[in-house]
Amino acid sequence: MIYTSLTKKLSMKIAVLGTRGIPNHYGGFEQFAEFFSVYLAQQKHEVYVYNSHNHPYQDQEYKGVKIIHQYDPEFKIGTAGQFIYDLNCILDSRNRDFDIILQLGYTSSSIWSFLLPKKAIIITNMDGLEWKRTKFSKPVQKVLQFAEKLAVKSSDYLVSDSLGIQKYITQKYNKSSTYIAYGATIFENPNEAILKEYEVVKYEFNMLIARLEPENNIETILDGIAISNTKQPFLVIGNHNTKFGNYLKDKFQSNAIIRFLGSVYNMEHLDNLRFFSNLYFHGHSVGGTNPSLLEAMASQALIVAHKNDFNGAILQENAYYFNSAEQVKKVVQEIKKNDNLQFIQNNFEAITSEYNWDKINGAYLQLFEQSLSENQ
């Protein structure tokens, strides 16, 4: 690290842990890691991102960001492999002399927190309330609560990606955290021709994009679609080759309008589908500023969200809400996108003013510089 005074620019050596790697081929943390690390490299910082050894991108550098591949046995042994991957990353970080280590999440890394390098400043994004995820058994939920406690204790600084998570950490652990949400990229160049690949017509289909997990309320949404009288196709985008995904496919196999498309990573396609949809459903319920919600806002979708404090804090009054299949049915049968353009405009303006990547990246960089100045 080169540090001369509080008024001069810091040159930092930074590591990003806790993701499967960049460029993004998986989810929200990977998307943030990609945008933020590239931003840091553009600001002339020395940035490293840890990638799974079998990540599709095998080069040693990405847009100025150095890539460190570490063995990840998840493909062989399932979720337990994440713990080994995180261990490998943390052990490697001990030999790198990093100034700052940014951990994105804690579920499989905090048990190794005692191995983190002592000289580095540890900043952890606390993600959502992982222990509330219904896919986990009661014993696993207890372990995750313990992991959360370890992460809070072992980190020098905490980041909350929603005001709800910030309040939770303050109340439960009496520890402060910095609120920094996620960002999204504005979408302004729709291409209606893309819809032909999905056999849908603009404003005459509804959709959702999510991991097919119980706490994302996908079954409730699809139950509502099934009991409605709508004839509009409903697109379900997300990996459905899972236990819960197979359950949903079996349950709704006789409903011709519900289409399970699997994962789609082409952002241009996703943006256009959201833009040209009639209704976009967002069922996430266990906390955080969910990236897919911000992307829907940035894509000018009309959003129907599960009613909870986390979604409400972002959308406020600019969405329709549900907590039952009957409410989903009612919205689908009565609400049209073209009748709610003010909702869409308000959410779009929120992205440009509050949830844009420049602002988010700048807030993280400010926290990094502040943490270094406080630890000289």
Side-chain angles (χ1 to χ4, degrees), residues 75 97 99 114 128 260 263 272 299-300 307 358 370:
F75 74 104
D97 195 28
D99 298 313
F114 66 97
F260 290 88
S263 298
N272 276 284
S299 300
Q300 302 180 58
K307 187 173 180 59
D358 286 342
Q370 174 190 338

Side-chain angles (χ1 to χ4, degrees), residues 25-247:
H25 284 268
Y26 187 74
F29 269 150
E30 285 75 13
Q31 187 69 77
F32 166 67
E34 177 180 337
F35 287 154
F36 183 51
S37 62
V38 170
Y39 168 81
L40 288 173
Q42 292 171 345
Q43 302 300 312
K44 308 304 181 184
H45 298 291
E46 188 177 352
V47 192
Y48 298 76
V49 174
Y50 282 88
N51 278 31
S52 297
H53 78 281
N54 54 3
H55 190 283
Y57 188 83
Q58 287 293 308
D59 291 354
Q60 303 303 307
E61 187 170 306
Y62 176 77
K63 296 185 178 181
V65 178
K66 295 175 176 62
I67 305 297
I68 305 173
H69 289 89
Q70 290 293 310
Y71 181 67
D72 177 4
E74 184 179 5
F75 74 104
K76 281 187 175 181
I77 62 176
T79 302
Q82 295 178 18
F83 291 88
I84 298 173
Y85 170 59
D86 283 335
L87 173 61
N88 291 337
C89 295
I90 288 173
L91 289 176
D92 182 87
S93 73
R94 292 167 64 88
N95 304 313
R96 300 278 183 173
D97 195 28
F98 291 121
D99 298 313
I100 292 176
I101 293 177
L102 173 63
Q103 293 190 117
L104 298 177
Y106 61 85
T107 53
S108 55
S109 63
S110 64
I111 64 167
W112 310 117
S113 59
F114 66 97
L115 293 172
L116 286 164
K118 303 303 181 186
K119 291 184 179 180
I121 296 170
I122 309 301
I123 300 175
T124 302
N125 181 310
M126 292 300 291
D127 200 7
L129 304 179
E130 295 300 302
W131 53 270
K132 278 193 170 184
R133 294 189 182 276
T134 54
K135 69 175 181 179
F136 296 126
S137 65
K138 292 296 182 182
V140 171
Q141 289 178 337
K142 290 291 185 183
V143 170
L144 291 175
Q145 282 186 291
F146 180 66
E148 179 185 87
K149 183 177 180 179
L150 283 177
V152 171
K153 184 178 180 180
S154 63
S155 301
D156 298 301
Y157 296 85
L158 301 176
V159 175
S160 299
D161 63 21
S162 78
L163 295 174
I165 296 296
Q166 185 184 51
K167 180 180 179 181
Y168 166 78
I169 291 172
T170 300
Q171 291 178 340
K172 184 165 184 177
Y173 298 105
N174 193 30
K175 188 164 182 176
S176 63
S177 62
T178 302
Y179 166 60
I180 308 176
Y182 284 108
T185 301
I186 292 296
F187 175 68
E188 296 182 286
N189 298 299
N191 178 7
E192 189 178 344
I194 288 174
L195 299 183
K196 294 180 181 178
E197 294 189 36
Y198 299 89
E199 299 179 346
V200 291
V201 177
K202 67 176 181 179
Y203 311 135
E204 293 184 14
F205 68 98
N206 304 307
M207 65 179 295
L208 65 80
I209 302 174
R211 294 182 189 175
L212 303 194
E213 298 176 351
E215 65 271 7
N216 289 339
N217 290 286
I218 296 165
E219 186 172 12
T220 300
I221 295 169
L222 298 183
D223 280 338
I225 299 298
I227 63 175
S228 73
N229 59 13
T230 182
K231 302 300 181 185
Q232 295 185 341
F234 191 96
L235 309 185
V236 181
I237 297 178
N239 178 19
H240 52 66
N241 295 316
T242 62
K243 181 179 179 180
F244 189 63
N246 288 330
Y247 161 75

Side-chain angles (χ1 to χ4, degrees), residues 184-188 293-301 347-348 351:
T185 301
I186 292 296
F187 175 68
E188 296 182 286
L293 177 57
L294 299 183
E295 289 167 358
M297 295 164 66
S299 300
Q300 302 180 58
N347 286 331
F348 189 74
I351 296 295

